[in-house]
Amino acid sequence: MNWTSWLPLRALSGWTAKDFNGDLAAGITLAAIAIPEQMATARLGGFGPEIGFFAFAAGSLAFALFGANRHLSVGADSTITPLFAGGLALIAASGSQHYLALAAMLALMVGLLVALSGIFRLGWIADLLSVPVTTGFLAGISVHIVVSQLPGLLGLPPESGETVRRIGEIVASLHLANPWSATLGLGVFALVFIAERISARIPAALIGMVLATLAVIVFDLKNRGVELLGILPNGLPTPGMPTVDFQDAQALVPLALLIAIVVMVQTAATSRSFVPQDGEVPDVNRDFVGVGAGSIVAGLFGAFAVNSSPPRTAIVAQTGGHSQLSGLIATAIVLALGAFGGGLLANVPQAALAGVLMFVAQHILRWQVFANVYRQAPVEFALILITMVAIVVLPIETGVAIGIGLSLLHGIWGSTRTEPIELAQVPGTSVWWPPNGSGTGEQHPGVLVAAFQAPLSFVNADRFKRGLRGLIDARSEDVKLVVLEASNIVEIDYTAAQTLIDAIHHCRDKGAVFAIARMESLRAQAALKRFGIADLVGPQRIFHSVDAAIRALGPEQPQQQDKVQ
């Protein structure tokens, strides 16, 4: 292992003074976008707005120290906030000291899981969620955000409980909506929505928050029933371990696992999407360490779990950021506001932050993916709907678990449907290809070339055995040589090895020689030796190509019958 790749401040390596102007511009823009977003996300989770500033600072500082990606922004994230808010609300009252301590402990647990996954190079975990399931998950989260923010946007009392029941109560209370709050919230939403279509670099959320605050002061909207943030506490938090008993910590483990998987999926996608133009290869595992460290630091300072942010990362890349210095500059600005600017935010209307989150909710809906999957893969579209409904109707952590389970089952289902197929030779070449119905493929008399286009495992072992036997039995009168074209068999487990051995014996019982060709996977080759299949087949019957197997063992060879054992 190259231990130099794990040295701190890798995301700042190669920085020169000429990069400063780009990082400064990116940092100021990032701060302008992060300030309202982090405040709104903290409120979404049941925290004071200033806690969002500390979460952003913890995530940015830790990632700059331990991460690899030069653009990636880490902080409070609306994707995971409804997850832990819903889970924690089942254990403690939202906003209570017990709730805050549980959130900090959960951040520590999530951070450790994500960081350890990076240290032990478990980046493949990020591929557990398929695109349809991820799309359904984000759609469900979007519904949760909308339902949670509608009362604040409309000036209604906050609702709690099951999502479906909350929707009914909001609809029943619409006649009590405060028109001033609704105007401010919808105005901020419209401003951000329109500005985002002009340029993502425009800090429309901050502009909207400032304009809404000015409207509160000019029109004295506090006395018209508009809810305000009020004066926030100044100062920085002191580090310390959250005080949570063992029973509570134990109850957090399943939730921590779910959130860690979601964080890894989003971090991997963001890291791979934003890489430097000089061709630097993304280091997903190192980025896991950086993001995980961000949650650990956030937990130690009384905040909550953090995540990578694709929109903020895009802003850094688009505004000329060259390194994580842009994130550090944004952190300095955000921390200064959190530590000394609590009074400046006293007249910010709650509806303005709700408007920001309503924009976030519609932004994470992948409408184009919805349309593409519906048109191209109707079965997978059902995965989107099932995952979305599960997250909306059931407890949110249960819905996420169902989504992960559906994603894994869908992958397994694809493997179970694989069957052995007979190949034909493309005329005039050494290429063997599945028949396409055009009748151009050639068969060799007495030779059956079969392929299995998936790893051999317990989920498809019986289908492989029955399929191969069926191909052999269908031509039992003339088959003298069976060649397994194994280029797509990258793995063989114990159960599959036993079925392969049974298939070899069945082939020999029918009087045919069994050979293997093009087994390119080193893992599969090792499995042949480990399970004794290489000795059973014989090294002289394992070939680099199908043609070589036919030339050596084909029916026209006089020694072929002597090789049947």
Side-chain angles (χ1 to χ4, degrees):
M1 178 182 290
N2 181 12
W3 291 104
T4 60
S5 65
W6 291 96
L7 292 175
L9 297 175
R10 178 177 163 186
L12 291 170
S13 63
W15 187 88
T16 60
K18 67 180 182 179
D19 297 328
F20 178 75
N21 288 338
D23 281 335
L24 178 63
I28 293 173
T29 306
L30 177 61
I33 290 169
I35 287 169
E37 182 193 53
Q38 299 295 285
M39 293 171 62
T41 305
R43 284 190 63 255
L44 177 64
F47 301 88
E50 73 281 359
I51 303 299
F53 296 156
F54 303 144
F56 177 80
S60 298
L61 289 169
F63 191 86
L65 186 61
F66 297 107
N69 192 290
R70 299 176 187 276
H71 297 145
L72 195 142
S73 177
V74 181
D77 177 65
S78 55
T79 303
I80 63 170
T81 301
L83 282 179
F84 65 71
L88 294 177
L90 299 176
I91 306 174
S94 180
S96 65
Q97 288 301 314
H98 188 202
Y99 181 93
L100 299 179
L102 287 173
M105 176 56 72
L106 181 65
L108 291 177
M109 296 168 72
V110 170
L112 283 172
L113 288 170
V114 175
L116 288 174
S117 295
I119 292 172
F120 291 105
R121 300 192 176 278
L122 301 179
W124 55 268
I125 293 177
D127 301 321
L128 286 176
L129 292 179
S130 65
V131 171
V133 169
T134 302
T135 303
F137 163 73
L138 291 175
I141 292 297
S142 177
V143 173
H144 273 280
I145 294 174
V146 170
V147 173
S148 69
Q149 295 307 303
L150 270 177
L153 185 138
L154 299 175
L156 298 174
E159 303 289 347
S160 60
E162 298 176 355
T163 303
V164 176
R165 184 181 63 80
R166 292 163 67 186
I167 293 174
E169 291 178 351
I170 291 171
V171 171
S173 303
L174 284 178
H175 65 285
L176 300 175
N178 185 309
W180 294 101
S181 293
T183 300
L184 292 175
L186 293 174
V188 170
F189 171 82
L191 177 64
V192 180
F193 185 86
I194 295 171
E196 198 259 349
R197 275 149 181 75
I198 298 173
S199 174
R201 301 182 183 185
I202 300 174
L206 182 63
I207 294 172
M209 190 174 74
V210 171
L211 291 176
T213 303
L214 290 175
V216 166
I217 297 172
V218 171
F219 298 106
D220 191 24
L221 297 184
K222 180 179 180 180
N223 292 323
R224 297 176 183 267
V226 173
E227 292 290 331
L228 307 181
L229 285 183
I231 297 176
L232 303 181
N234 286 327
L236 297 174
T238 55
M241 282 292 295
T243 54
V244 175
D245 61 38
F246 178 77
Q247 186 175 3
D248 282 342
Q250 193 175 27
L252 293 176
V253 172
L255 184 60
L257 288 170
L258 290 174
I259 294 175
I261 291 174
V262 174
V263 169
M264 287 187 278
V265 169
Q266 186 158 308
T267 297
T270 308
S271 179
R272 292 165 180 163
S273 299
F274 298 94
V275 294
Q277 295 298 315
D278 58 10
E280 184 176 332
V281 178
D283 189 344
V284 172
N285 288 305
R286 178 63 183 259
D287 290 339
F288 282 179
V289 175
V291 176
S295 281
I296 293 173
V297 175
L300 291 175
F301 280 88
F304 46 83
V306 298
N307 194 8
S308 56
S309 169
R312 292 200 307 272
T313 302
I315 290 299
V316 175
Q318 293 168 5
T319 52
H322 297 284
S323 71
Q324 283 294 324
L325 180 61
S326 57
L328 296 178
I329 292 171
T331 297
I333 297 172
V334 170
L335 270 183
L337 182 62
F340 309 110
L344 298 176
L345 303 173
N347 290 313
V348 173
Q350 304 273 15
L353 297 182
V356 172
L357 280 174
M358 295 290 279
F359 170 79
V360 171
Q362 67 82 30
H363 195 269
I364 64 176
L365 278 171
R366 300 179 178 181
W367 296 111
Q368 191 63 46
V369 178
F370 264 84
N372 290 340
V373 174
Y374 178 76
R375 185 175 61 254
Q376 300 169 3
V379 173
E380 294 187 66
F381 184 74
L383 294 178
I384 295 179
L385 297 180
I386 293 171
T387 304
M388 180 180 70
V389 171
I391 289 177
V392 171
V393 174
L394 301 175
I396 194 166
E397 65 274 14
T398 304
V400 174
I402 289 174
I404 294 173
L406 284 174
S407 187
L408 295 176
L409 286 174
H410 180 249
I412 294 172
W413 180 68
S415 295
T416 62
R417 298 176 66 205
T418 306
E419 291 187 359
I421 56 174
E422 184 174 358
L423 303 183
Q425 188 172 23
V426 179
T429 73
S430 61
V431 176
W432 288 77
W433 205 257
N436 56 15
S438 63
T440 57
E442 295 180 348
Q443 302 286 357
H444 287 239
V447 177
L448 170 65
V449 179
F452 193 71
Q453 298 176 312
L456 262 175
S457 69
F458 68 96
V459 299
N460 55 30
D462 186 64
R463 200 177 187 101
F464 166 78
K465 180 173 70 173
R466 287 187 288 109
L468 187 58
R469 282 188 172 191
L471 292 175
I472 295 170
D473 293 345
R475 292 178 51 186
S476 60
E477 297 298 326
D478 65 336
V479 172
K480 302 302 179 184
L481 172 64
V482 176
V483 180
L484 176 62
E485 202 276 357
S487 58
N488 289 302
I489 300 178
V490 297
E491 183 66 272
I492 303 173
D493 69 10
Y494 179 84
T495 304
Q498 307 314 304
T499 60
L500 180 55
I501 291 171
D502 290 344
I504 293 170
H505 286 306
H506 179 76
C507 177
R508 291 175 175 176
D509 290 342
K510 294 293 184 179
V513 173
F514 187 91
I516 298 175
R518 296 193 63 201
M519 182 164 279
E520 301 165 0
S521 166
L522 295 178
R523 297 202 310 273
Q525 292 176 27
L528 289 186
K529 296 177 181 178
R530 186 168 67 252
F531 296 122
I533 299 172
D535 292 334
L536 177 64
V537 175
Q540 73 276 18
R541 299 188 189 91
I542 299 177
F543 299 89
H544 291 111
S545 70
V546 173
D547 281 1
I550 295 174
R551 285 196 302 269
L553 303 173
E556 70 279 4
Q557 301 300 322
Q559 74 277 20
Q560 188 256 341
Q561 293 296 328
D562 295 334
K563 292 183 178 292
V564 179
Q565 298 178 3

